[in-house]
Amino acid sequence: FRRVLFRSGRFEARIKLPAGQGMWPAFWMLGDDVEKADWPACGEIDIMENIGKEPSIVHGSIHGPGFTGSDGIEASYTLPAARRFANDFHVFAVEWEPSVIRFYVDDDLYVTRSRSDLRPGWKWVFDHPFFLLLNVAVGGDWPGNPDAATVFPQTMLVDYVRVYQRSSE
């Protein structure tokens, strides 16, 4: 197993999410220096996170030294008309450049993050190689535990993952 590393580009995946209380699917990126710098100094870009108790909402965020947990820099996207992310495939994406990160759902730009979003003393840690992760966690402080209505097994269906990088000009 070898990590594929990136410094910028467009990262997208077409995913149908699992559903139910306690489910926590995610499509995210972590700084490659995690073993040396530790988290959160390595940086984290959450392209998409969903918690089962919010079936129509996904969250996109960035984390680094000083901005984690309740101090994280996060935004959410809500599907219109009470649609649920578990009912259909959706495209989740970020466009990452050295000083800006843009978050998308189904080609709708819903938030842009940049160095100007950081408070004094916080460090922009999105200028070195990162690698991609996709996972489904169960339970935890944020999503809570599964309940009697949560159905198992669960599946996060991934149609594709694509990475685009600018060509040299």
Side-chain angles (χ1 to χ4, degrees):
F1 166 61
R2 184 177 75 79
R3 291 180 182 161
V4 178
L5 304 178
F6 306 97
R7 289 182 177 268
S8 64
R10 179 178 169 92
F11 305 85
E12 69 178 39
R14 186 172 181 262
I15 305 170
K16 185 175 181 182
L17 301 181
Q21 170 58 37
M23 304 293 24
W24 188 359
F27 172 38
W28 54 298
M29 302 174 74
L30 192 61
D32 185 53
D33 59 346
V34 63
E35 283 114 19
K36 182 176 69 172
D38 209 4
W39 186 89
C42 64
E44 178 179 327
I45 301 169
D46 294 316
I47 301 167
M48 177 283 302
E49 288 184 285
N50 169 258
I51 56 174
K53 63 186 171 190
E54 298 176 344
S56 300
I57 301 171
V58 293
H59 302 265
S61 59
I62 58 175
H63 301 285
F67 49 107
T68 63
S70 62
D71 286 328
I73 301 173
E74 183 266 335
S76 62
Y77 177 91
T78 304
L79 283 172
R83 291 180 15 231
R84 299 166 53 102
F85 281 102
N87 292 347
D88 297 296
F89 281 91
H90 295 275
V91 177
F92 305 99
V94 294
E95 292 176 353
W96 171 33
E97 298 177 31
S99 295
V100 66
I101 302 169
R102 291 178 291 276
F103 292 79
Y104 296 85
V105 173
D106 296 328
D107 290 325
D108 290 333
L109 172 65
Y110 71 94
V111 70
T112 300
R113 295 296 182 209
S114 68
R115 294 175 189 268
S116 65
D117 291 307
L118 303 184
R119 295 180 189 161
W122 291 1
K123 182 181 176 192
W124 183 260
V125 290
F126 308 102
D127 52 6
H128 64 278
F130 276 61
F131 59 94
L132 286 169
L133 299 110
L134 290 106
N135 70 281
V136 177
V138 179
D141 290 340
W142 190 27
N145 291 325
D147 60 21
T150 307
V151 176
F152 287 99
Q154 289 283 330
T155 303
M156 180 168 80
L157 298 173
V158 179
D159 182 33
Y160 65 77
V161 176
R162 294 181 180 156
V163 176
Y164 300 90
Q165 297 194 292
R166 291 191 190 276
S167 60
S168 300
E169 296 182 25

